């Protein structure tokens, strides 16, 4: 096992992500998601292990809507860390949850030996879209970050940011104001929502640095490997699709193999441009696809130094 970035104490790897983000070489991290049902656990576990074998900087494990798959999130995260010594980032959402429920989950994360938590508000369930939220214990990720710090000040906490503005924000100025509150509450680093035009990220970085947000920013890249993902990506994030990307989908969308290769090439190109402009840590939304993660890493092997 190769030594990772960051300091090492008493022969153990430093597993806090904030320490891993200090490297000057290009590093990749990958995102995986837990199974939706117990019957699919083994296949998902195998896929996440295949990605872990690539020895990424870290891996993040998402959290099912409403916490329905929360136990699987921890099981997958613990397994990756134990079997492959890959630092893990466990997602946690709080929307519509009670303080008691969230505190129990935080204690579970702490007891599992997970040092890194991605604190998210989460998507509001469709049936609660028009509900009165004034009595909810948590309305923003900032509330969850404060809770995490209160229970375990040693957690390394990540948060989400939106280069193209959060869908519920009135404007980008308001969005950045909320983002600064999140950081001031104790967020150690930020990972961006997917984007397909790097210039949007560069413009966003300028604005948040000007606003006094200085924590590390990890760009999030989504390899689009089939045409159906495009519609879903737009729905989830409202991402702007540049003409160059639209042309790619128009040309290759009906050919699954060609679309997969073109989508991986587009994501690789984005990562190369980001690194050339000083961004050393890139998070890939690999969607439990070891072959996609491996191909992107292989495309960048000489740049990464592996």
């Amino acid at each position: 096992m190769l030594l990772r970035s960051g300091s090492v104490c008493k022969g153990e790897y430093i597993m806090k992500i904030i320490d891993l983000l200090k490297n000057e070489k290009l590093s990749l991290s990958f995102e995986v998601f837990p199974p939706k049902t117990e019957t699919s656990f083994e296949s998902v576990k195998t896929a996440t292990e295949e990605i872990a074998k690539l020895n990424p900087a870290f891996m993040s494990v998402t959290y099912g809507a409403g916490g329905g798959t929360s136990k699987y999130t921890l099981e997958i995260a613990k397994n990756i860390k134990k079997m492959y010594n890959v630092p893990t980032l466990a997602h946690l959402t709080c929307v519509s949850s009670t303080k008691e429920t969230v505190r129990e989950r935080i204690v579970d994360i702490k007891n599992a030996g997970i040092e890194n938590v991605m604190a998210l508000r989460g998507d509001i369930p469709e049936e609660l879209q028009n509900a009165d939220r004034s009595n909810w214990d948590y309305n923003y990720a900032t509330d969850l970050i404060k809770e995490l710090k209160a229970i375990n000040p040693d957690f390394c906490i990540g948060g989400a940011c939106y280069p193209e503005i959060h869908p519920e924000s009135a404007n980008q100025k308001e969005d950045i104001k909320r983002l600064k509150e999140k950081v001031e509450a104790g967020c150690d680093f930020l990972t961006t929502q997917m984007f397909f035009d790097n210039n949007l990220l560069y413009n966003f970085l300028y604005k948040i640095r000007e606003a006094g947000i200085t924590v590390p920013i990890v760009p999030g890249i989504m390899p689009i490997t089939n045409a159906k993902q495009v519609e879903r990506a737009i729905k989830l994030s409202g991402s702007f699709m540049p003409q160059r990307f639209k042309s790619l989908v128009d040309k290759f969308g009906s050919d699954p193999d060609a679309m997969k290769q073109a989508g991986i090439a587009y994501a690789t190109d984005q990562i190369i441009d980001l690194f050339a402009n000083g961004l050393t840590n890139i998070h890939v939304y690999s969607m439990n696809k070891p072959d996609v993660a491996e191909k992107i890493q292989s495309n960048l092997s000489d740049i990464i130094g592996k």
Side-chain angles (χ1 to χ4, degrees):
M1 179 69 72
L2 295 174
L3 289 177
R4 303 184 183 284
S5 304
S7 56
V8 179
C9 299
K10 297 181 181 179
E12 296 182 355
Y13 294 115
I14 291 294
M15 292 291 187
K16 287 192 176 181
I17 289 170
I18 189 63
D19 294 315
L20 303 175
L21 298 180
K22 296 173 182 177
N23 59 294
E24 296 182 357
K25 291 185 177 181
L26 175 64
S27 69
L28 299 181
S29 55
F30 296 113
E31 184 157 296
V32 297
F33 55 85
K36 294 181 180 180
T37 63
E38 186 174 352
T39 56
S40 61
F41 180 83
E42 285 303 320
S43 62
V44 170
K45 178 172 173 283
T46 298
T48 60
E49 288 179 350
E50 289 301 310
I51 294 174
K53 288 176 184 177
L54 298 173
N55 196 29
F58 66 89
M59 289 173 65
S60 68
V61 187
T62 65
Y63 195 79
T69 62
S70 59
K71 68 174 182 177
Y72 299 130
T73 296
L74 274 186
E75 287 184 38
I76 293 294
K78 285 192 297 183
N79 182 63
I80 292 168
K81 182 180 177 183
K82 178 181 178 181
M83 296 298 294
Y84 299 96
N85 210 29
V86 173
T88 53
L89 172 67
H91 288 215
L92 180 64
T93 65
C94 61
V95 67
S96 73
S97 295
T98 64
K99 279 189 176 292
E100 181 181 12
T101 298
V102 168
R103 286 171 179 170
E104 287 176 357
R105 290 171 180 160
I106 293 173
V107 170
D108 287 341
I109 291 171
K110 182 179 178 181
N111 291 341
I114 304 296
E115 300 99 329
N116 308 291
V117 184
M118 174 63 78
L120 305 166
R121 186 200 68 176
D123 297 326
I124 297 174
E126 189 174 344
E127 65 272 16
L128 296 176
Q129 288 288 337
N130 299 316
D132 178 10
R133 305 179 199 175
S134 61
N135 294 321
W136 287 8
D137 288 335
Y138 306 94
N139 277 294
Y140 301 101
T142 301
D143 303 324
L144 177 58
I145 292 167
K146 292 176 180 177
E147 195 79 40
L148 283 161
K149 282 294 185 184
I151 293 177
N152 184 11
D154 291 330
F155 274 138
C156 175
I157 301 176
C161 60
Y162 291 74
E164 301 176 62
I165 187 174
H166 190 285
E168 296 178 19
S169 292
N171 50 60
Q172 193 169 50
K173 183 178 181 180
E174 176 66 23
D175 199 27
I176 292 174
K177 178 183 176 183
R178 293 286 188 186
L179 188 62
K180 189 172 184 180
E181 291 173 357
K182 189 186 296 188
V183 171
E184 290 173 346
C187 192
D188 296 295
F189 68 96
L190 297 165
T191 301
T192 76
Q193 179 58 274
M194 69 185 80
F195 58 92
F196 300 92
D197 183 342
N198 287 5
N199 288 324
L200 291 170
L201 177 72
Y202 301 142
N203 181 265
F204 172 73
L205 290 175
Y206 173 81
K207 290 180 179 179
I208 65 170
R209 298 312 188 203
E210 192 176 47
I213 298 173
T214 60
V215 296
I217 306 296
V218 181
I221 297 297
M222 167 71 86
I224 299 293
T225 55
N226 66 73
K228 291 181 180 179
Q229 283 182 282
V230 176
E231 183 178 347
R232 178 168 172 77
I234 294 174
K235 182 179 179 181
L236 286 175
S237 65
S239 300
F240 167 71
M241 298 292 178
Q243 186 57 49
R244 175 171 170 250
F245 186 78
K246 291 179 182 178
S247 297
L248 180 152
V249 177
D250 288 342
K251 178 68 175 178
F252 304 112
S254 60
D255 184 334
D257 290 337
M259 182 64 219
K260 183 176 181 179
Q261 188 175 57
I264 290 172
Y266 190 94
T268 301
D269 185 59
Q270 277 192 277
I271 294 170
I272 291 171
D273 180 74
L274 291 167
F275 183 53
N277 282 279
L279 292 150
T280 58
N281 306 280
I282 313 297
H283 191 59
V284 180
Y285 296 110
S286 48
M287 304 293 288
N288 290 14
K289 296 178 180 178
D291 57 330
V292 172
E294 190 279 329
K295 185 59 178 177
I296 288 176
Q297 183 166 287
S298 176
N299 288 346
L300 298 163
S301 58
D302 289 337
I303 297 173
I304 296 173
K306 290 188 177 181

